[in-house]
Amino acid sequence: MSGYFLYHSIGTFPGKAEALRGALGRFADDWSAENDAQWPTMLSLRARFIETWAGLIDAPAGSLTTTESVTAGLYALIGALPRERLAGRRVLVAADGFPSLHFLLQGLAPRFGFTLDTVPLRPGERWVRDEDMLAAWGPDVGLALLTFVTSTASHRCDMGALAAHGREMGSLTVADVTQGIGIRPFSVADGAIDAVVSTSLKWLCGVSGAGVLQVRPDLLATCRPEFRGWFSQENPFSWDLDAFRFAPDARRFDQGTPSILPAAGSLPGLDHIRSLGLRTVAAQNARLTERIVAMADEAGLPLASPREADRRGGSVMLNLGDAAAGLVGPLRARGLFCDARGPVLRLSPGLVTQEADVDRLFSAFEDLGARRAAA
Ligand SMILES: Cc1ncc(COP(=O)(O)O)c(C=O)c1O
């Protein structure tokens, strides 16, 4: 029994602590070795992280690199685009996109000369409808940021339809896949998405600091990152001050000495999910989320997520009104771990969560009078 419903925050898998100890122990040994093999070993570890991620989303070789966070990845991209891509145009986001990215874009708008246009939620609704994004998306949109799966409703957008519209409008489409990757299929193989930002610590069961940025190769060739440094070059050891040249591939988005620990700490999770396969991971999650939906209906607790499983990521959110935040503590005391955002209680069962945990959760809701409190 686990009681863990926090995969939207930190993903985990059976044996994670041991796998992580092994990986970080090897890191400690390699980093501390009194020889000159540290950097070759570390850079090949980072390369394996990059290759694994590229494999996950079918990214062409050389189109993906590491970032500290999703926010940092989006910043690196915006600061690299040819100026005319954004200047005098709109950047379209949905009100249920991740707030950090919104804060970043708000701050960058004046300097890069774009207008940030936020598509609102309809009154009483918990996610922005794809049709409302499409209606707001005209040819004056320089860039649209799409959230594959939202963090507050687990709403999964129709990425294919939205990205196809983006192509027609001549806009750049950037996908934030943080809440979907590792639990829902996602691929850049058809070339419809211009850039991807994500991190590895949710359904991929990695650690924080392990973000990624992937950019379509022909767009990448036009990018000149303002945040640059010696590692943005093909050869970081080219130290001629008058001969700086961007690497031809995604390395141009690197700057200073790259961090290795997040890659080392995330590979066990990535390898685990890859070895199980998305289908297996998603099927286990589906059994639990279906049970949550059925039991919520029975208990009269309203969903804050789409009812249709194919319109959701791996979470089911409940709308418990003023009661949501107050339930988190008493649930924790019963060994049941979830969190709340405003009126929304977020439930994300994963590989360590079992049917019996869902049953315990709903009997705790009953004991705690969740329905009465929410009403
Ligand atoms: C949809 C989404 N995007 C991004 C993030 C995280 O962004 P960052 O890595 O910049 O903290 C989260 C974290 O919960 C998220 O749910």
mmCIF file of all heavy atoms in Angstrom, residues 8-9 67-73 96-101 147-152 176-180 197-199 201-202 209 211 341 346, ligand 1:
data_model
loop_
_atom_site.group_PDB
_atom_site.id
_atom_site.type_symbol
_atom_site.label_atom_id
_atom_site.label_comp_id
_atom_site.label_asym_id
_atom_site.label_seq_id
_atom_site.Cartn_x
_atom_site.Cartn_y
_atom_site.Cartn_z
ATOM 1 N N HIS A 8 1.685 14.278 -10.552
ATOM 2 C CA HIS A 8 1.736 15.575 -11.234
ATOM 3 C C HIS A 8 2.829 16.455 -10.621
ATOM 4 O O HIS A 8 3.168 17.498 -11.167
ATOM 5 C CB HIS A 8 0.376 16.293 -11.129
ATOM 6 C CG HIS A 8 -0.067 16.444 -9.709
ATOM 7 N ND1 HIS A 8 -0.924 15.569 -9.103
ATOM 8 C CD2 HIS A 8 0.265 17.355 -8.761
ATOM 9 C CE1 HIS A 8 -1.113 15.949 -7.841
ATOM 10 N NE2 HIS A 8 -0.397 17.024 -7.618
ATOM 11 N N SER A 9 3.366 16.022 -9.483
ATOM 12 C CA SER A 9 4.401 16.790 -8.797
ATOM 13 C C SER A 9 5.757 16.088 -8.915
ATOM 14 O O SER A 9 6.706 16.619 -9.486
ATOM 15 C CB SER A 9 4.002 16.970 -7.331
ATOM 16 O OG SER A 9 5.008 17.607 -6.624
ATOM 17 N N THR A 67 17.971 21.896 -20.082
ATOM 18 C CA THR A 67 17.761 23.214 -19.473
ATOM 19 C C THR A 67 17.536 22.959 -17.984
ATOM 20 O O THR A 67 17.273 21.819 -17.589
ATOM 21 C CB THR A 67 16.505 23.922 -20.039
ATOM 22 O OG1 THR A 67 15.359 23.129 -19.718
ATOM 23 C CG2 THR A 67 16.588 24.098 -21.541
ATOM 24 N N GLU A 68 17.589 24.031 -17.187
ATOM 25 C CA GLU A 68 17.382 23.793 -15.763
ATOM 26 C C GLU A 68 15.912 23.551 -15.454
ATOM 27 O O GLU A 68 15.565 22.790 -14.559
ATOM 28 C CB GLU A 68 17.905 24.971 -14.944
ATOM 29 C CG GLU A 68 17.847 24.645 -13.462
ATOM 30 C CD GLU A 68 18.313 25.770 -12.578
ATOM 31 O OE1 GLU A 68 19.074 26.625 -13.058
ATOM 32 O OE2 GLU A 68 17.907 25.793 -11.411
ATOM 33 N N SER A 69 15.033 24.214 -16.194
ATOM 34 C CA SER A 69 13.600 24.117 -15.922
ATOM 35 C C SER A 69 12.850 24.377 -17.219
ATOM 36 O O SER A 69 13.450 24.762 -18.229
ATOM 37 C CB SER A 69 13.200 25.151 -14.866
ATOM 38 O OG SER A 69 13.366 26.462 -15.400
ATOM 39 N N VAL A 70 11.548 24.212 -17.171
ATOM 40 C CA VAL A 70 10.723 24.505 -18.340
ATOM 41 C C VAL A 70 10.794 26.006 -18.638
ATOM 42 O O VAL A 70 10.940 26.426 -19.790
ATOM 43 C CB VAL A 70 9.263 24.078 -18.066
ATOM 44 C CG1 VAL A 70 8.400 24.307 -19.287
ATOM 45 C CG2 VAL A 70 9.212 22.617 -17.645
ATOM 46 N N THR A 71 10.701 26.793 -17.586
ATOM 47 C CA THR A 71 10.755 28.249 -17.743
ATOM 48 C C THR A 71 12.069 28.668 -18.406
ATOM 49 O O THR A 71 12.078 29.496 -19.323
ATOM 50 C CB THR A 71 10.617 28.930 -16.359
ATOM 51 O OG1 THR A 71 9.521 28.330 -15.661
ATOM 52 C CG2 THR A 71 10.343 30.409 -16.490
ATOM 53 N N ALA A 72 13.168 28.071 -17.964
ATOM 54 C CA ALA A 72 14.472 28.408 -18.540
ATOM 55 C C ALA A 72 14.519 28.008 -20.016
ATOM 56 O O ALA A 72 15.110 28.719 -20.842
ATOM 57 C CB ALA A 72 15.585 27.722 -17.758
ATOM 58 N N GLY A 73 13.909 26.875 -20.351
ATOM 59 C CA GLY A 73 13.898 26.417 -21.746
ATOM 60 C C GLY A 73 13.140 27.385 -22.637
ATOM 61 O O GLY A 73 13.589 27.727 -23.739
ATOM 62 N N ASP A 96 -4.937 28.586 -18.619
ATOM 63 C CA ASP A 96 -4.598 27.431 -17.775
ATOM 64 C C ASP A 96 -3.219 26.852 -18.119
ATOM 65 O O ASP A 96 -2.902 25.728 -17.743
ATOM 66 C CB ASP A 96 -5.692 26.349 -17.850
ATOM 67 C CG ASP A 96 -5.918 25.846 -19.267
ATOM 68 O OD1 ASP A 96 -5.357 26.446 -20.214
ATOM 69 O OD2 ASP A 96 -6.641 24.847 -19.425
ATOM 70 N N GLY A 97 -2.408 27.630 -18.836
ATOM 71 C CA GLY A 97 -1.011 27.234 -19.019
ATOM 72 C C GLY A 97 -0.278 27.369 -17.689
ATOM 73 O O GLY A 97 -0.813 27.963 -16.735
ATOM 74 N N PHE A 98 0.939 26.851 -17.615
ATOM 75 C CA PHE A 98 1.636 26.895 -16.324
ATOM 76 C C PHE A 98 1.997 28.346 -15.977
ATOM 77 O O PHE A 98 2.602 29.052 -16.797
ATOM 78 C CB PHE A 98 2.877 26.009 -16.352
ATOM 79 C CG PHE A 98 3.375 25.705 -14.979
ATOM 80 C CD1 PHE A 98 2.608 24.968 -14.091
ATOM 81 C CD2 PHE A 98 4.604 26.180 -14.552
ATOM 82 C CE1 PHE A 98 3.049 24.707 -12.799
ATOM 83 C CE2 PHE A 98 5.056 25.920 -13.256
ATOM 84 C CZ PHE A 98 4.268 25.182 -12.387
ATOM 85 N N PRO A 99 1.617 28.830 -14.788
ATOM 86 C CA PRO A 99 1.790 30.255 -14.468
ATOM 87 C C PRO A 99 3.218 30.768 -14.661
ATOM 88 O O PRO A 99 3.418 31.900 -15.100
ATOM 89 C CB PRO A 99 1.368 30.339 -12.992
ATOM 90 C CG PRO A 99 0.439 29.182 -12.791
ATOM 91 C CD PRO A 99 0.916 28.097 -13.726
ATOM 92 N N SER A 100 4.202 29.947 -14.367
ATOM 93 C CA SER A 100 5.591 30.400 -14.463
ATOM 94 C C SER A 100 5.902 30.869 -15.892
ATOM 95 O O SER A 100 6.608 31.867 -16.089
ATOM 96 C CB SER A 100 6.514 29.256 -14.059
ATOM 97 O OG SER A 100 7.843 29.671 -14.060
ATOM 98 N N LEU A 101 5.363 30.152 -16.879
ATOM 99 C CA LEU A 101 5.635 30.516 -18.275
ATOM 100 C C LEU A 101 4.914 31.817 -18.629
ATOM 101 O O LEU A 101 5.419 32.643 -19.391
ATOM 102 C CB LEU A 101 5.204 29.374 -19.202
ATOM 103 C CG LEU A 101 5.854 28.021 -18.867
ATOM 104 C CD1 LEU A 101 5.399 26.947 -19.839
ATOM 105 C CD2 LEU A 101 7.378 28.131 -18.891
ATOM 106 N N THR A 147 -0.208 23.908 -23.886
ATOM 107 C CA THR A 147 0.048 22.995 -22.764
ATOM 108 C C THR A 147 -0.579 21.657 -23.125
ATOM 109 O O THR A 147 -1.797 21.558 -23.254
ATOM 110 C CB THR A 147 -0.580 23.563 -21.471
ATOM 111 O OG1 THR A 147 -0.100 24.894 -21.297
ATOM 112 C CG2 THR A 147 -0.202 22.719 -20.270
ATOM 113 N N PHE A 148 0.268 20.654 -23.321
ATOM 114 C CA PHE A 148 -0.202 19.333 -23.769
ATOM 115 C C PHE A 148 -1.251 18.793 -22.791
ATOM 116 O O PHE A 148 -2.352 18.403 -23.172
ATOM 117 C CB PHE A 148 1.023 18.410 -23.866
ATOM 118 C CG PHE A 148 0.745 17.003 -24.303
ATOM 119 C CD1 PHE A 148 -0.269 16.697 -25.196
ATOM 120 C CD2 PHE A 148 1.540 15.957 -23.828
ATOM 121 C CE1 PHE A 148 -0.506 15.387 -25.602
ATOM 122 C CE2 PHE A 148 1.316 14.651 -24.225
ATOM 123 C CZ PHE A 148 0.283 14.375 -25.102
ATOM 124 N N VAL A 149 -0.885 18.802 -21.506
ATOM 125 C CA VAL A 149 -1.806 18.378 -20.444
ATOM 126 C C VAL A 149 -1.706 19.431 -19.344
ATOM 127 O O VAL A 149 -0.596 19.773 -18.923
ATOM 128 C CB VAL A 149 -1.421 16.990 -19.896
ATOM 129 C CG1 VAL A 149 -2.254 16.643 -18.660
ATOM 130 C CG2 VAL A 149 -1.566 15.911 -20.963
ATOM 131 N N THR A 150 -2.856 19.954 -18.909
ATOM 132 C CA THR A 150 -2.788 21.053 -17.931
ATOM 133 C C THR A 150 -2.561 20.521 -16.507
ATOM 134 O O THR A 150 -2.957 19.396 -16.172
ATOM 135 C CB THR A 150 -4.071 21.903 -17.947
ATOM 136 O OG1 THR A 150 -5.172 21.095 -17.518
ATOM 137 C CG2 THR A 150 -4.346 22.455 -19.331
ATOM 138 N N SER A 151 -1.979 21.381 -15.693
ATOM 139 C CA SER A 151 -1.648 20.954 -14.332
ATOM 140 C C SER A 151 -2.818 21.146 -13.364
ATOM 141 O O SER A 151 -2.767 20.660 -12.244
ATOM 142 C CB SER A 151 -0.423 21.718 -13.820
ATOM 143 O OG SER A 151 -0.667 23.098 -13.859
ATOM 144 N N THR A 152 -3.865 21.838 -13.791
ATOM 145 C CA THR A 152 -4.978 22.084 -12.871
ATOM 146 C C THR A 152 -6.229 21.281 -13.194
ATOM 147 O O THR A 152 -7.109 21.147 -12.346
ATOM 148 C CB THR A 152 -5.342 23.586 -12.866
ATOM 149 O OG1 THR A 152 -5.320 24.046 -14.218
ATOM 150 C CG2 THR A 152 -4.364 24.379 -12.043
ATOM 151 N N ASP A 176 4.410 22.663 -24.283
ATOM 152 C CA ASP A 176 4.875 22.334 -22.933
ATOM 153 C C ASP A 176 4.293 20.959 -22.609
ATOM 154 O O ASP A 176 3.089 20.820 -22.371
ATOM 155 C CB ASP A 176 4.379 23.397 -21.939
ATOM 156 C CG ASP A 176 4.653 23.000 -20.481
ATOM 157 O OD1 ASP A 176 5.280 21.944 -20.250
ATOM 158 O OD2 ASP A 176 4.222 23.734 -19.578
ATOM 159 N N VAL A 177 5.156 19.938 -22.615
ATOM 160 C CA VAL A 177 4.655 18.564 -22.471
ATOM 161 C C VAL A 177 4.880 18.002 -21.066
ATOM 162 O O VAL A 177 4.705 16.800 -20.831
ATOM 163 C CB VAL A 177 5.282 17.625 -23.539
ATOM 164 C CG1 VAL A 177 4.993 18.161 -24.941
ATOM 165 C CG2 VAL A 177 6.762 17.407 -23.343
ATOM 166 N N THR A 178 5.227 18.883 -20.128
ATOM 167 C CA THR A 178 5.610 18.465 -18.774
ATOM 168 C C THR A 178 4.649 17.466 -18.128
ATOM 169 O O THR A 178 5.082 16.472 -17.545
ATOM 170 C CB THR A 178 5.690 19.714 -17.860
ATOM 171 O OG1 THR A 178 6.558 20.656 -18.470
ATOM 172 C CG2 THR A 178 6.175 19.369 -16.477
ATOM 173 N N GLN A 179 3.331 17.751 -18.224
ATOM 174 C CA GLN A 179 2.365 16.899 -17.504
ATOM 175 C C GLN A 179 1.894 15.708 -18.339
ATOM 176 O O GLN A 179 1.099 14.908 -17.857
ATOM 177 C CB GLN A 179 1.143 17.726 -17.068
ATOM 178 C CG GLN A 179 1.393 18.679 -15.927
ATOM 179 C CD GLN A 179 1.664 17.983 -14.596
ATOM 180 O OE1 GLN A 179 1.524 16.768 -14.450
ATOM 181 N NE2 GLN A 179 2.078 18.757 -13.609
ATOM 182 N N GLY A 180 2.367 15.614 -19.586
ATOM 183 C CA GLY A 180 1.880 14.529 -20.435
ATOM 184 C C GLY A 180 2.945 13.501 -20.767
ATOM 185 O O GLY A 180 2.646 12.312 -20.970
ATOM 186 N N VAL A 197 9.187 22.179 -24.754
ATOM 187 C CA VAL A 197 9.846 22.395 -23.455
ATOM 188 C C VAL A 197 9.243 21.398 -22.467
ATOM 189 O O VAL A 197 8.057 21.073 -22.542
ATOM 190 C CB VAL A 197 9.682 23.838 -22.930
ATOM 191 C CG1 VAL A 197 10.555 24.806 -23.712
ATOM 192 C CG2 VAL A 197 8.224 24.303 -22.978
ATOM 193 N N SER A 198 10.071 20.918 -21.571
ATOM 194 C CA SER A 198 9.568 19.972 -20.575
ATOM 195 C C SER A 198 10.577 19.823 -19.453
ATOM 196 O O SER A 198 11.646 20.431 -19.458
ATOM 197 C CB SER A 198 9.307 18.605 -21.210
ATOM 198 O OG SER A 198 8.621 17.758 -20.285
ATOM 199 N N THR A 199 10.190 19.014 -18.499
ATOM 200 C CA THR A 199 11.113 18.594 -17.467
ATOM 201 C C THR A 199 10.861 17.116 -17.215
ATOM 202 O O THR A 199 9.978 16.527 -17.829
ATOM 203 C CB THR A 199 10.959 19.473 -16.206
ATOM 204 O OG1 THR A 199 11.911 19.036 -15.238
ATOM 205 C CG2 THR A 199 9.574 19.382 -15.610
ATOM 206 N N LEU A 201 10.668 15.388 -14.061
ATOM 207 C CA LEU A 201 10.462 14.875 -12.699
ATOM 208 C C LEU A 201 9.047 14.412 -12.411
ATOM 209 O O LEU A 201 8.777 13.943 -11.322
ATOM 210 C CB LEU A 201 10.914 15.911 -11.658
ATOM 211 C CG LEU A 201 9.972 17.039 -11.290
ATOM 212 C CD1 LEU A 201 10.404 17.641 -9.968
ATOM 213 C CD2 LEU A 201 9.968 18.098 -12.336
ATOM 214 N N LYS A 202 8.152 14.509 -13.397
ATOM 215 C CA LYS A 202 6.772 14.101 -13.103
ATOM 216 C C LYS A 202 6.572 12.655 -13.547
ATOM 217 O O LYS A 202 7.119 11.770 -12.925
ATOM 218 C CB LYS A 202 5.834 15.118 -13.703
ATOM 219 C CG LYS A 202 6.158 16.494 -13.058
ATOM 220 C CD LYS A 202 5.370 17.618 -13.537
ATOM 221 C CE LYS A 202 5.897 18.925 -12.994
ATOM 222 N NZ LYS A 202 5.704 19.133 -11.572
ATOM 223 N N GLY A 209 15.540 19.945 -12.055
ATOM 224 C CA GLY A 209 16.737 20.439 -12.744
ATOM 225 C C GLY A 209 16.968 19.773 -14.082
ATOM 226 O O GLY A 209 17.868 20.163 -14.822
ATOM 227 N N GLY A 211 15.437 19.676 -17.099
ATOM 228 C CA GLY A 211 14.561 20.171 -18.161
ATOM 229 C C GLY A 211 15.153 19.903 -19.529
ATOM 230 O O GLY A 211 16.344 19.559 -19.657
ATOM 231 N N ARG A 341 -5.027 22.954 -5.498
ATOM 232 C CA ARG A 341 -4.810 24.284 -6.082
ATOM 233 C C ARG A 341 -6.170 24.970 -6.060
ATOM 234 O O ARG A 341 -7.065 24.578 -6.816
ATOM 235 C CB ARG A 341 -4.306 24.185 -7.530
ATOM 236 C CG ARG A 341 -2.890 23.659 -7.657
ATOM 237 C CD ARG A 341 -1.850 24.702 -7.194
ATOM 238 N NE ARG A 341 -0.478 24.184 -7.263
ATOM 239 C CZ ARG A 341 0.125 23.487 -6.296
ATOM 240 N NH1 ARG A 341 -0.512 23.216 -5.171
ATOM 241 N NH2 ARG A 341 1.364 23.065 -6.441
ATOM 242 N N ARG A 346 -5.977 17.565 -6.465
ATOM 243 C CA ARG A 346 -5.308 16.908 -7.602
ATOM 244 C C ARG A 346 -4.909 15.483 -7.225
ATOM 245 O O ARG A 346 -4.185 15.263 -6.251
ATOM 246 C CB ARG A 346 -4.077 17.715 -8.018
ATOM 247 C CG ARG A 346 -4.414 19.186 -8.282
ATOM 248 C CD ARG A 346 -3.337 19.892 -9.042
ATOM 249 N NE ARG A 346 -2.066 20.025 -8.333
ATOM 250 C CZ ARG A 346 -0.976 20.539 -8.875
ATOM 251 N NH1 ARG A 346 -0.980 20.932 -10.135
ATOM 252 N NH2 ARG A 346 0.133 20.664 -8.173
HETATM 253 C C1 LIG B 1 2.421 22.142 -17.273
HETATM 254 C C2 LIG B 1 3.664 22.465 -16.484
HETATM 255 N N1 LIG B 1 4.650 23.170 -17.052
HETATM 256 C C3 LIG B 1 5.777 23.467 -16.389
HETATM 257 C C4 LIG B 1 5.973 23.065 -15.087
HETATM 258 C C5 LIG B 1 7.232 23.368 -14.356
HETATM 259 O O1 LIG B 1 7.949 24.444 -14.884
HETATM 260 P P1 LIG B 1 9.392 24.768 -14.289
HETATM 261 O O2 LIG B 1 10.279 23.598 -14.614
HETATM 262 O O3 LIG B 1 9.830 25.999 -14.985
HETATM 263 O O4 LIG B 1 9.238 24.947 -12.817
HETATM 264 C C6 LIG B 1 4.969 22.330 -14.439
HETATM 265 C C7 LIG B 1 5.134 21.913 -13.024
HETATM 266 O O5 LIG B 1 4.228 21.535 -12.355
HETATM 267 C C8 LIG B 1 3.793 22.031 -15.159
HETATM 268 O O6 LIG B 1 2.809 21.337 -14.582
#
